[in-house]
Amino acid sequence: CVLFPARVPTPADLRTVIAEQRVSILWLTSSLFNVIVDKDPAALSGVGQLLIGGEALSVPHVRRLLDALPATRLINGYGPTESTTFACTYAIPRPLPESIASIPIGRPIANTRVYILDGRRNPVPVGVAGELYIGGDGLAAGYLNNPELTAEKFVPDPFSERGEGRLYRTGDRCRFLPNGTIEFLGRLDRQVKIRGFRVEPGEIQAAISEHPQVASAAVVAREDVPGDRRLVAYVVRADGTQNPVADLRAFVTSKLPEYMVPSSFVVLDSLPLNATGKVDWRSLPHPPLEGRNDAASGGVLPQDTLELVLLRIWEDALGIRSIGVRDDFFEIGGHSILAVRMFADIEKAFGRNLPLATLFQAPTVERLAAKVRESGWEAPWSSLVVIQGGARERPPFLCVPGVGGNILGFNDLARQLGADQPVYGLQARGLDGRAEPLTRIEDMAAHYIQEIRTILPDGPFLLGGASFGGSVAFEMARQLEKAGHPVALVALFDAFAPGGGTSAPRLARLGRRWKKIGVRAAYHGRNLLFGPDRGNYIRSKSRTLRRRMRSRIWQMIYNSYRGRSKPLPRALQDVREAGYLANREYVPAPYPGRVTLFRAGVRSADDSRSEDMGWGRLALGGVEVREVPGDHVNMLLRPQVGLLAEQLRECIDRAIAGVTSSPESEMSPPLAEQPPPESLATEAG
């Protein structure tokens, strides 16, 4: 900015200035640093110390610079303008550890204090993310002629000995590493919600930048169609061309959960930069409607009118153009919500009510068209669906989904269990829109058992249930055991026991809630009546209240619009309502066997459930509790599902070994001797 105020300097500019001015210390923005390293890292030779700041550093670019200039000392500088530009620094070591995923921002400089605090401004433990606050002699006095913003961003320092200090709220999400350095995790105000999940685009950028063909990347959430927010990745190739980056989508999918994989990848010559050398987010182009820039497209055109109509339905649902008829639905950004919309449109176009799980056997336009094209074919409805075939000598793991009855959520778990483990899903009756949904858990369990025993008459049975499905799986185990059939495993995925599971009586929970309200009221009352800066405090809280009210109003408007424009199909609504009714009315009887509970490690602060989530009073054989990563929603998605699948595989192997070694029961031969019925080979749901 000082040397070249009117334009972004080129490598030749820097080479000339360094030589003529004998520059020994040079400061660059991270975006400009990436450009120079990509084009000509030798342009920085002669600089003894290189300071980089502005945005998160790219690990691949740092490695290239360290290899190209072994004598240059590289320092990552962090800090907002409100704290004299640099507040923390990190001297990047040589050699850079192979395992490092991001460059830390280091430790505070002299006369500067930093804290990582939670939403209540309490310090967080090492390794836990929070907001970074800065204090010390370098802190600005505030914003000129803007007292409201000053009061919002410059807050009282609760750690000051005299109570007169102030801290600046950076809005940056960080955490302490075990060695005391600080890792930058992204901006709090750049977090977005995608299909109900909170996503940090910076985390996705870091994963994309690890690809060897990628020089730099930027990820944004776009809402080009109202109500349909999507992630778009902008990528600059290391070789400077605009050719597609090979296997980029598969590479990102292997590192991140499905909901964090961008819907579109756009390859650019370079990322647009503003006058300060940072990425100009507003100048990033719209993703092209014609022609995808990744290598996923099969490039095969529709062969007839049927494939053409299906292709248009897919393009409208996914929001991209030029899909190949051999593109995999899941690999090009498809998910269960889009599948519901897409199959509703297919029913309108062809008068065929296809089960959602058809996508497991026919995930491309070409194969789905073959299903529709089959002479006299109608979707043979079955609750039992093959998610993964596996080895015939192993008994299948049988999955019961949550209250919506949709089994697509088990896709990641099945893949992580290993290709040899068969996994079958049990989708709710009524999803086809023809049969009436069942409204009693006992009836659901009996219906699923009837379907299972068409291919597995005598067990052993490996049962699993997620959330509401846990109660159904439990009832299935109880009915099978009562009928004299061996149940080798009952796995429950963060499922609450019906009618219980609290670790404290109702009055105690109400007491804790009123205590929280009292503490909060005392805190605000003290600040309001006796605080040293009551005026700013009142203005700040009034502004917060107005902002929350506006947010609530807009959310109500959006929900109303969404409800009118894209309602859930009637069949899905009926199944969900039937599930809620069944859950309320279910009165379970004890089960003599043992259950294994996979409990989500991330829980809300007011979760008062006991560790076994209430199953201890129902499973007379005991409850084995295994805590796994993730929360109630994403524990079955990548990457969290990896550890769960590893532990579940261990439980399945142990259960199979226990059955085969028992003299009282033998492994049933039907899986090895009888092929599954034809309906399973073509069914999906």
Side-chain angles (χ1 to χ4, degrees), residues 90-142:
Y90 178 73
I92 298 175
R94 292 175 181 270
L96 193 64
E98 289 296 328
S99 60
I100 194 169
S102 64
I103 305 297
I105 61 175
R107 301 172 186 267
I109 63 174
N111 301 317
T112 298
R113 304 186 313 278
V114 297
Y115 305 93
I116 300 178
L117 309 178
D118 61 17
R120 295 184 176 91
R121 294 184 191 164
N122 296 318
V124 299
V126 172
V128 176
E131 183 175 2
L132 187 69
Y133 287 69
I134 300 177
D137 295 344
L139 206 62

Side-chain angles (χ1 to χ4, degrees), residues 72-392:
T72 300
R73 186 178 184 224
L74 194 58
I75 295 178
N76 185 21
Y78 164 86
T81 306
E82 290 84 350
S83 183
T84 59
T85 306
F86 276 1
C88 298
T89 59
Y90 178 73
I92 298 175
R94 292 175 181 270
L96 193 64
E98 289 296 328
S99 60
I100 194 169
S102 64
I103 305 297
I105 61 175
R107 301 172 186 267
I109 63 174
N111 301 317
T112 298
R113 304 186 313 278
V114 297
Y115 305 93
I116 300 178
L117 309 178
D118 61 17
R120 295 184 176 91
R121 294 184 191 164
N122 296 318
V124 299
V126 172
V128 176
E131 183 175 2
L132 187 69
Y133 287 69
I134 300 177
D137 295 344
L139 206 62
Y143 298 103
L144 183 63
N145 299 327
N146 197 338
E148 290 191 358
L149 186 59
T150 298
E152 180 182 351
K153 291 294 187 179
F154 292 85
V155 299
D157 182 358
F159 311 105
S160 174
E161 295 180 358
R162 294 178 296 176
E164 298 176 355
R166 291 174 309 129
L167 297 177
Y168 171 68
R169 298 186 59 179
T170 65
D172 290 332
R173 188 165 167 265
C174 300
R175 66 176 178 178
F176 281 112
L177 298 177
N179 63 2
T181 59
I182 299 171
E183 181 182 22
F184 174 78
L185 301 175
R187 289 285 301 169
L188 290 171
D189 55 11
R190 284 203 65 216
Q191 286 186 339
V192 294
K193 267 197 171 182
I194 301 294
R195 307 196 318 264
F197 296 99
R198 192 164 293 281
V199 174
E200 170 55 60
E203 187 177 349
I204 306 172
Q205 289 174 202
I208 295 174
S209 298
E210 293 179 25
H211 194 286
Q213 295 181 19
V214 173
S216 56
V219 176
V220 297
R222 305 191 68 107
E223 197 169 342
D224 299 317
V225 178
D228 187 14
R229 180 175 291 180
R230 298 169 181 267
L231 293 169
V232 179
Y234 297 88
V235 176
V236 177
R237 283 184 56 101
D239 58 13
T241 70
Q242 281 199 339
N243 296 326
V245 180
D247 71 0
L248 182 55
R249 185 180 298 277
F251 177 82
V252 177
T253 302
S254 69
K255 293 181 173 293
L256 299 173
E258 177 265 339
Y259 64 87
M260 292 180 69
V261 178
S263 298
S264 301
F265 291 84
V266 181
V267 180
L268 304 175
D269 290 329
S270 61
L271 295 176
L273 305 179
N274 57 27
T276 63
K278 297 183 179 182
V279 174
D280 187 354
W281 300 99
R282 295 183 179 180
S283 298
L284 291 169
H286 288 264
L289 292 179
E290 300 298 332
R292 291 186 291 123
N293 289 303
D294 56 38
S297 176
V300 180
L301 297 176
Q303 300 301 305
D304 55 26
T305 304
L306 174 60
E307 288 188 0
L308 180 62
V309 173
L310 283 175
L311 195 65
R312 292 292 175 259
I313 292 174
W314 279 44
E315 290 177 343
D316 289 342
L318 292 163
I320 53 179
R321 294 294 179 262
S322 295
I323 299 175
V325 297
R326 293 176 184 168
D327 285 341
D328 187 285
F329 174 79
F330 297 102
E331 292 182 0
I332 58 177
H335 51 80
S336 57
I337 297 176
L338 291 180
V340 169
R341 298 176 183 174
M342 189 172 74
F343 274 55
D345 290 340
I346 290 175
E347 181 181 5
K348 292 178 184 177
F350 301 105
R352 296 287 179 87
N353 192 316
L354 305 182
L356 285 176
T358 303
L359 285 172
F360 286 130
Q361 280 76 38
T364 68
V365 169
E366 186 177 61
R367 293 166 66 180
L368 189 60
K371 294 284 187 185
V372 179
R373 196 183 291 115
E374 289 176 8
S375 176
W377 179 86
E378 288 190 10
W381 178 261
S382 170
S383 287
L384 188 61
V385 178
V386 178
I387 299 176
Q388 179 169 281
R392 298 177 66 84

